[in-house]
Amino acid sequence: MAGEKREWKGVTGGSTFGQKAVKILFSIVNVRVGYFILVFVVPFYMLFARKGYLSIYRYFRRQHGYPVMKSFFKTYRNHFMFGQMILDRFAVYAGQRNFEIDNPDNDLFLRMVYAKHGCILTTSHVGNPELCGYLLSQNTKRINSMIFGGEAREVQKNRLTMLGNNNVRVIPVLDDMSHIFLINEALTNGEMLSMPCDRSFGSNKTVECDFLNGKADFPIGAFVLALQFNVPVIAMFVLKITASLYRIHVISVPVPAGGDKRRQINEMTRSFAGILEGIVRKYPEQWFNFYNFWKNENVSRS
């Protein structure tokens, strides 16, 4: 186990035909029909997607310290909720608008929207942050959303349509590094930049952080940009509360006073990891990193 590769492909499963079929289905029936089907599908998915299943099971056993049976039940719930959130996206693609948003931290977000300077929104693979971009819109400040560039064609087409209508520009992360120019343009123009901060995508520019009773590497890119462009950073999490209700948590990531930039970057990265840990402890079933996230010394423990 110590040599197990720590990675996740980060794409939505299923063929283009299957994804189109799901969208057509939800143009006819409520998304809760899909939830019912998931009850029977998830056990087979767990059986055949063994690596993801074992990673989440270990997450509940080692990071949260749950006993065996509770960890197994939580693993099922995790997969079930992940399936629900994917179906929720396709339901919105199909035109369903039966979701409600609870945003107790909206004042902080609006301050960033109306500020003249830019802002970085740090996200993670917890909850369903993409759905927020589909359901909420504002025309004051454009949000530039960095996404993985290898997503399925059908998902990308729907994503571009939905986000484009809500003043969100998608910036795919590509091998040719063309996204760097769009990032610089966005922050120079005082716009918002949204980027995931819990996966390095192969980059070695990371900081080791204490995280959920283990050690994990977190990327520093967002915090390097924040200091380079002198813009604030806020962490945003979109959590599923009920079948039709999502809650948005927005939390400011503090900038350490004094010291050199390297120390400031490291401290901001660790602050984000601490904020993320607080959210994950509150919503443990909505952790969707389906690979060995923690470093090898933690994996080797029994």
Side-chain angles (χ1 to χ4, degrees):
M1 296 300 294
E4 183 180 342
K5 194 174 182 179
R6 301 165 60 242
E7 62 179 12
W8 172 247
K9 294 181 180 179
V11 297
T12 304
S15 65
T16 298
F17 174 79
Q19 292 169 0
K20 287 182 177 179
V22 172
K23 182 179 175 181
I24 293 171
L25 174 66
F26 290 150
S27 68
I28 302 170
V29 303
N30 190 280
V31 68
R32 297 192 188 205
V33 174
Y35 295 173
F36 177 75
I37 296 172
L38 278 177
V39 172
F40 306 100
V41 171
V42 167
F44 291 97
Y45 185 85
M46 290 171 61
L47 179 64
F48 292 105
R50 185 171 173 78
K51 285 186 178 179
Y53 157 72
L54 290 177
S55 295
I56 296 299
Y57 175 79
R58 287 195 296 262
Y59 153 76
F60 284 117
R61 282 284 286 149
R62 295 174 177 169
Q63 272 39 73
H64 291 282
Y66 294 156
V68 171
M69 290 307 298
K70 184 175 181 179
S71 295
F72 179 80
F73 173 75
K74 290 286 188 179
T75 300
Y76 174 86
R77 280 282 300 161
N78 169 272
H79 283 65
F80 182 71
M81 292 195 73
F82 182 65
Q84 282 185 312
M85 293 184 195
I86 291 177
L87 294 184
D88 288 349
R89 295 180 198 172
F90 279 91
V92 175
Y93 295 160
Q96 294 191 30
R97 293 293 187 273
N98 53 331
F99 298 102
E100 298 178 5
I101 297 290
D102 173 32
N103 190 354
D105 306 313
N106 196 41
D107 288 347
L108 174 58
F109 179 75
L110 288 179
R111 285 204 301 271
M112 297 298 105
V113 168
Y114 291 110
K116 292 183 179 180
H117 54 69
C119 174
I120 293 178
L121 297 174
T122 62
T123 62
S124 63
H125 294 81
V126 174
N128 200 359
E130 191 172 318
L131 201 72
C132 180
Y134 299 157
L135 298 177
L136 299 180
S137 64
Q138 52 81 28
N139 295 316
T140 303
K141 180 176 290 189
R142 181 165 66 175
I143 298 176
N144 299 267
S145 179
M146 291 180 61
I147 62 167
F148 175 71
E151 185 58 276
R153 182 183 301 174
E154 181 67 15
V155 172
Q156 287 203 47
K157 182 181 74 173
N158 287 288
R159 177 185 280 161
L160 288 171
T161 300
M162 298 296 301
L163 295 178
N165 292 336
N166 287 345
N167 200 24
V168 179
R169 177 175 67 171
V170 172
I171 301 180
V173 178
L174 302 174
D175 291 338
D176 65 6
M177 305 300 287
S178 58
H179 56 280
I180 298 296
F181 299 101
L182 296 177
I183 290 171
N184 290 338
E185 175 192 38
L187 293 175
T188 299
N189 292 339
E191 298 175 357
M192 286 187 171
L193 175 67
S194 170
M195 57 191 301
C197 293
D198 61 339
R199 293 183 189 171
S200 60
F201 295 105
S203 172
N204 59 359
K205 296 180 180 180
T206 60
V207 170
E208 182 182 275
C209 301
D210 293 321
F211 183 66
L212 285 174
N213 302 316
K215 301 285 186 180
D217 290 332
F218 282 80
I220 64 174
F223 312 107
V224 171
L225 288 171
L227 293 181
Q228 178 183 344
F229 288 90
N230 192 28
V231 296
V233 181
I234 57 175
M236 176 177 285
F237 307 93
V238 183
L239 293 310
K240 191 172 179 68
I241 305 303
T242 67
S244 59
L245 174 65
Y246 278 88
R247 178 169 296 143
I248 302 175
H249 290 287
V250 182
I251 304 169
S252 179
V253 179
V255 180
D260 58 30
K261 284 191 175 181
R262 169 57 62 181
R263 187 188 71 83
Q264 289 180 307
I265 290 168
N266 290 355
E267 288 303 310
M268 291 178 73
T269 307
R270 294 189 177 104
S271 292
F272 171 78
I275 292 169
L276 178 61
E277 178 172 337
I279 292 292
V280 175
R281 288 194 182 279
K282 189 173 182 179
Y283 303 94
E285 296 170 355
Q286 298 191 45
W287 170 261
F288 300 130
N289 282 299
F290 294 94
Y291 65 99
N292 174 32
F293 188 84
W294 283 265
K295 300 187 77 170
N296 288 340
E297 61 264 27
N298 191 57
V299 173
S300 63
R301 288 189 289 177
S302 59

